[in-house]
Amino acid sequence: MTDPTQALWGGQPITPSRPTPEQLAHRARELDRRVRRRNALEYGAGALLIPIFGAVALMQHDWLLRAACAAILLGVIVVLRGVHVHGGAARKEDWAAPVLDHHRAQLVRQRDALRSVWQWYLAPLVPGLALLFAAVWRMAYVHAGALAATARIVPAVLIAVIVFTGIHWLNRAAARRLTRAIDALDASN
Amino acid sequence: MSRDNPPSDTPRPDRRDRLYKEAAETLGPALARLARAVERDPDRARDLEQDIHLALWRSLDSFAGDCALATWTYRVAHNVAASHAARGARAAPLVGLDAITEAPASDNPEHAADAALTLDRLYALIARLTPADRSVMLLYLEGVDARQTGEITGLSANHIGVKVHRLKALLARRFHAGDQP
């Protein structure tokens, strides 16, 4: 070493960890258990909606409401599958890739996941929500007429549209930022 | 060749354990310094160091000898450290070595010892760098040569040369000349 900063860096008082393979195997099992528990929580919360909407669908006499519940149920299943697919991609990282390649792959994966949020997170829920709004409107129409039914449903529809559009917009904006970071990375080498 | 994280009960554990021991004995101190450079909280740095060891141990089943064991070890370590850093909240945007004209001042004004102060400023500088430049700087500080740094980072020889040149100039200007913040 000729650079004194290197000597200073290497001479830091430090006690490195020396885990044994057995300790690492134990830590690996702990980590796997934590991941399984987190996945169970993640999917469990979604899976909880399945019997709820299933039961609601079965109890309804209105065919449109039943169809809405069934569509929401299907939508939740598609969303859960999307969470699983995108989570799985994150877990299959190539840790031994060169630093630049690994960093770029991470950015691309995050960008693609954000860019496709509407596809696997928002769109699957749209048919169910649309049918639900239609069913609620129709029930209100029977009792109160078209104007009152529309007035009742419009705020809920607006809120849903704003929330979905907002999520989509925020994710697209984050994806654009990542695209710029990827372009800068490519340009730098 | 798949380098995915294999499960803990993967085949060929003897070979993996042997390779791991070799890597940990040779580069254990460098891995500890890397963890402390990326994570300033001592407890979290210790956790990160353990995560690096775990990722390295798990990855070694895929090690086919296409590169040196040290190169493989540094790649895994720097990738785990970069992922850890990316998860953390950042107050300031990261920059490349070319954008830094002077090392940032220490955030600890009561530092008395020159060596400690220099290290403190080095850590502050490292924290500001983009992942690739951070790796180049840390590998330079560890005394890794330009060829191996290229293999670890994936940067071209030209870029490594330019970055190391800037780095040396920066360190000479700010740390060797008795320059105080």
Side-chain angles (χ1 to χ4, degrees):
Chain A
M1 284 185 189
T2 51
D3 186 333
T5 317
Q6 288 176 319
L8 181 68
W9 183 259
Q12 291 179 74
I14 215 157
T15 314
S17 291
R18 289 277 161 80
T20 63
E22 292 72 29
Q23 287 170 324
L24 290 168
H26 177 74
R27 192 174 168 91
R29 283 193 297 274
E30 282 291 309
L31 192 68
D32 290 344
R33 226 191 324 267
R34 272 212 305 272
V35 169
R36 278 198 299 274
R37 209 175 300 145
R38 194 189 60 203
N39 287 347
L41 269 175
E42 208 170 75
Y43 302 133
L48 203 66
L49 294 172
I50 293 172
I52 292 172
F53 275 102
V56 170
L58 286 175
M59 284 188 297
Q60 294 303 319
H61 299 297
D62 185 274
W63 66 268
L64 196 53
L65 207 52
R66 289 178 87 154
C69 288
I72 288 174
L73 207 146
L74 277 174
V76 169
I77 290 170
V78 175
V79 169
L80 287 178
R81 187 183 163 279
V83 170
H84 179 73
V85 167
H86 289 278
R91 285 189 291 274
K92 288 179 180 169
E93 286 187 51
D94 183 358
W95 292 107
V99 172
L100 211 61
D101 296 353
H102 182 264
H103 181 50
R104 191 182 190 285
Q106 269 192 333
L107 293 177
V108 168
R109 198 191 63 242
Q110 288 163 7
R111 190 264 318 267
D112 292 349
L114 289 171
R115 207 153 52 178
S116 62
V117 152
W118 68 272
Q119 233 171 354
W120 59 270
Y121 194 77
L122 299 175
L125 299 172
V126 169
L129 280 175
L131 285 172
L132 186 68
F133 289 139
V136 172
W137 183 89
R138 201 178 68 154
M139 282 191 287
Y141 168 75
V142 170
H143 297 108
L147 201 62
T150 305
R152 192 175 296 175
I153 207 75
V154 160
V157 172
L158 273 179
I159 288 170
V161 168
I162 289 168
V163 168
F164 273 53
T165 309
I167 292 172
H168 175 63
W169 185 84
L170 286 172
N171 280 290
R172 294 292 287 200
R176 277 195 296 273
R177 275 198 300 277
L178 287 170
T179 297
R180 283 196 294 274
I182 293 163
D183 291 344
L185 200 63
D186 291 343
S188 72
N189 199 36
Chain B
M1 180 180 69
S2 167
R3 290 166 178 159
D4 298 347
N5 281 350
S8 53
D9 53 350
T10 46
R12 298 188 295 167
D14 291 346
R15 178 179 173 275
R16 176 172 65 181
D17 291 354
R18 184 175 49 75
L19 287 167
Y20 167 72
K21 277 182 182 165
E22 189 184 329
E25 271 169 28
T26 318
L27 294 170
L31 303 185
R33 286 190 288 270
L34 167 65
R36 275 148 194 78
V38 170
E39 175 57 65
R40 298 300 293 136
D41 178 87
D43 289 336
R44 278 191 246 157
R46 184 60 81 173
D47 273 349
L48 173 59
E49 191 185 349
Q50 295 282 333
D51 287 345
I52 290 170
H53 279 271
L54 179 57
L56 172 64
W57 178 71
R58 285 184 139 175
S59 74
L60 284 169
D61 260 330
S62 317
F63 179 71
D66 297 337
C67 62
L69 180 60
T71 299
W72 180 280
T73 302
Y74 272 126
R75 281 181 184 169
V76 174
H78 279 251
N79 285 333
V80 173
S83 293
H84 175 89
R87 280 195 298 271
R90 292 194 192 99
L94 300 181
V95 295
L97 277 164
D98 51 337
I100 292 183
T101 52
E102 62 177 54
S106 161
D107 56 2
N108 185 352
E110 292 180 2
H111 251 307
D114 281 352
L117 176 60
T118 303
L119 279 172
D120 205 26
R121 296 182 69 199
L122 266 178
Y123 280 121
L125 172 60
I126 290 163
R128 287 184 62 193
L129 292 174
T130 57
D133 282 6
R134 184 170 51 220
S135 288
V136 170
M137 176 155 185
L138 286 164
L139 291 167
Y140 171 76
L141 290 172
E142 291 295 342
V144 176
D145 64 36
R147 184 193 55 77
Q148 197 180 7
T149 299
E151 288 178 13
I152 294 164
T153 58
L155 286 163
S156 66
N158 264 355
H159 275 83
I160 299 281
V162 170
K163 285 176 191 294
V164 169
H165 178 75
R166 279 191 188 128
L167 184 57
K168 281 180 174 172
L170 179 68
L171 294 177
R173 199 164 58 241
R174 302 302 298 175
F175 295 124
H176 302 164
D179 204 356
Q180 295 300 309

